[in-house]
Amino acid sequence: MWDVSENESIEIHIQELRRGTVVLACLRLLTRPGYGYGLLEELQSRGFDTDANTLYPLLRRLEKQGHLTSEWNTDEARPRKFYRTSDAGHRLAALLTDDLTRIAAAIDALPTED
Amino acid sequence: MNDTPTLTDRYIDAAMRAVPERQRADLAAELRASIADDIDTRIEAGEDDAAAERDVLTALGDPEKLAAGYTDRPLHLIGPKYFLDWKRLVVLLLWIVLPCAAFGVALGMTIAGEPVGGIIGTVAAVLVSAFVHVVFWTTLVFALVERYGEDDPKAAPPAWKLDDLPDPRPKGAGLPDMIATLVLLGLVTAAVLWDRFVGFVPGEPGLSFLDPGLWPAWIILLFVVIGLEAAVAVAVYAARRWTIPLAVANAVLNVVIVVPALWLLVEGRLLNAAFWPGVIADDPASAQTVAGVMAAIFGIGFAGIAVWDTIDAFLKARRRLVA
């Protein structure tokens, strides 16, 4: 049975590993316009485990950096802010995807413990 | 229509307080929609209204933390970029300001003739006050730079270079140190003897700086202590480094010299009362003043050097310098 502190340090390492990949997932998913909570649900259903209080500020940050554009959609009763990936965002997504593929291949090539 | 704010209202309000005015409306609207969506999904899954609201808001966490994430504001006072510079500057300033403040206040109050208890009390208060001021103002400046400083890479603090490595700290236990200490002790002995038998003032042979009443008992005691100090110096050289026992011996010897010396000084039996009137022959009043000032400087300087020497020995003893 792992003790609590070991669990916490494992949590931290897993979070570190996942942090960059959530950015990539957002940029790829937002090729089609999406909004805060909807994106959160989709990420979770696709296996990108993230929290609301991480995702919402992340979307704002990406918009500030120019990788996402946003506009308010007032079609439905509840107005929602929709984000979509900009051209710069697409370029970044391509770069990140390439890098991730390269890293995954490099990990596969690592010696395993025999 | 219910006028009391709901939990959601209060949460959004708390979060928006930490957000600049112009972003508030947009952020508030978006956050409200996200919270409402989340609550709706939970209600559809069968959760009770109030419980759903509580769960959603609890999962969002501290509203100020969320707001800091939105605005990219640092949640620390001084971050890694400036921390080391801040720390080094504070240490440097404290080393400069505190001893100067203590010495200045002590000297001034001694010359003004304040009682020793009052001097010690005031010096302690001044030291505390100076410490707080140095730390506060330095921290304030760095905190402001951290928050409002430019992100311009050219304005960043210069990168660390190999030249910035601190010099290797001397162990203080080598041959030159021992020889220097022995020579110094020898000079002190010679000076005391010269002062007694020949005198330092060219025109007044026999006018000694130290009180003639000190001879022979106190002077012999002084020479004994000097001998012991020489022994400590040799022991440090033989041991190749300062050890804690040697540092303790050094401290004890310092106390044995300084405490009687200060007591004699306060009693007026350390320095020759006729010295300054003898040197400044025509103005007895100013001779008195000079005598008082010189006694004060002598006493405080003497005590200060003894304190510094004691601390220095302990610092050297605790260092583990890789040879």
Side-chain angles (χ1 to χ4, degrees):
Chain A
M1 190 65 189
W2 292 325
D3 65 322
V4 179
S5 59
E6 188 173 346
N7 244 346
E8 278 172 13
S9 87
I10 290 176
E11 265 304 307
I12 294 176
H13 286 302
I14 292 183
Q15 271 175 31
E16 278 290 311
L17 188 60
R18 285 188 183 157
R19 216 186 314 169
T21 53
V22 170
V23 173
L24 174 55
C26 288
L27 289 172
R28 293 273 295 265
L29 285 174
L30 289 174
T31 314
R32 286 162 311 158
Y35 63 97
Y37 186 69
L39 184 62
L40 184 67
E41 282 196 307
E42 191 170 4
L43 282 171
Q44 280 169 351
S45 73
R46 284 178 181 274
F48 292 97
D49 198 6
T50 186
D51 297 317
N53 54 18
T54 317
L55 182 64
Y56 301 156
L58 176 64
L59 291 175
R60 286 265 156 178
R61 208 171 303 138
L62 287 174
E63 184 189 2
K64 197 161 112 176
Q65 292 165 352
H67 299 304
L68 295 175
T69 56
S70 70
E71 64 181 5
W72 278 94
N73 179 311
T74 46
D75 292 345
E76 302 189 17
R78 182 175 293 156
R80 293 199 181 87
K81 190 171 193 183
F82 275 77
Y83 296 90
R84 101 185 278 161
T85 316
S86 67
D87 291 335
H90 279 120
R91 286 196 291 275
L92 179 61
L95 276 170
L96 290 178
T97 310
D98 278 343
D99 212 59
L100 192 57
T101 317
R102 215 172 307 142
I103 290 177
I107 291 195
D108 275 337
L110 284 174
T112 50
E113 44 180 85
D114 303 279
Chain B
M1 189 65 175
N2 205 349
D3 260 303
T4 54
T6 64
L7 275 177
T8 307
D9 292 327
R10 286 167 60 192
Y11 188 92
I12 295 182
D13 206 53
M16 289 309 116
R17 257 184 257 170
V19 164
E21 190 71 55
R22 44 192 174 81
Q23 297 177 24
R24 258 182 222 167
D26 192 79
L27 267 172
E30 190 188 4
L31 189 55
R32 192 177 288 278
S34 303
I35 292 176
D37 283 337
D38 201 343
I39 294 178
D40 284 347
T41 311
R42 286 170 193 257
I43 291 178
E44 268 168 46
E47 237 185 290
D48 150 52
D49 287 21
E53 190 181 24
R54 302 191 95 89
D55 287 343
V56 170
L57 294 179
T58 310
L60 274 176
D62 191 333
E64 245 188 291
K65 212 165 165 185
L66 184 65
Y70 276 134
T71 54
D72 259 336
R73 288 219 183 115
L75 284 177
H76 49 240
L77 194 62
I78 296 177
K81 192 170 164 195
Y82 295 110
F83 179 77
L84 282 178
D85 291 323
W86 167 85
K87 190 183 83 143
R88 287 171 186 155
L89 184 61
V90 166
V91 168
L92 180 69
L93 285 178
L94 286 176
W95 271 113
I96 296 176
V97 169
L98 290 188
C100 286
F103 187 77
V105 168
L107 188 62
M109 290 184 76
T110 311
I111 293 177
E114 302 281 344
V116 175
I119 295 180
I120 294 180
T122 311
V123 167
V126 164
L127 281 180
V128 170
S129 167
F131 179 89
V132 171
H133 275 286
V134 165
V135 172
F136 175 78
W137 293 109
T138 313
T139 307
L140 180 66
V141 167
F142 271 83
L144 289 175
V145 168
E146 170 80 37
R147 255 149 203 68
Y148 303 114
E150 310 195 341
D151 276 329
D152 181 9
K154 287 195 287 281
W160 182 91
K161 328 177 283 296
L162 214 45
D163 289 339
D164 292 330
L165 261 183
D167 295 322
R169 295 198 273 197
K171 282 198 287 180
L175 189 60
D177 297 285
M178 181 186 82
I179 292 188
T181 308
L182 292 178
V183 166
L184 186 65
L185 292 171
L187 283 177
V188 169
T189 312
V192 168
L193 290 171
W194 184 278
D195 179 59
R196 177 76 180 87
F197 293 114
V198 181
F200 281 111
V201 185
E204 307 262 353
L207 184 68
S208 62
F209 184 65
L210 295 175
D211 193 316
L214 292 176
W215 186 268
W218 288 103
I219 302 293
I220 300 218
L221 177 63
L222 175 69
F223 287 166
V224 167
V225 176
I226 285 182
L228 290 174
E229 291 244 0
V232 168
V234 172
V236 167
Y237 176 66
R240 301 215 172 286
R241 57 182 301 252
W242 278 96
T243 61
I244 296 284
L246 283 175
V248 170
N250 184 46
V252 166
L253 285 177
N254 279 337
V255 168
V256 166
I257 285 195
V258 168
V259 168
L262 286 182
W263 175 72
L264 287 171
L265 183 67
V266 167
E267 292 254 315
R269 289 163 54 187
L270 186 68
L271 302 180
N272 189 356
F275 183 76
W276 288 109
V279 169
I280 310 174
D282 20 328
D283 191 352
S286 81
Q288 275 286 71
T289 319
V290 171
V293 172
M294 292 306 293
I297 294 180
F298 187 83
I300 293 176
F302 203 54
I305 290 177
V307 166
W308 171 82
D309 181 64
T310 309
I311 296 177
D312 185 58
F314 275 109
L315 285 179
K316 286 193 177 121
R318 302 181 92 210
R319 256 175 232 156
R320 301 259 178 272
L321 185 66
V322 177

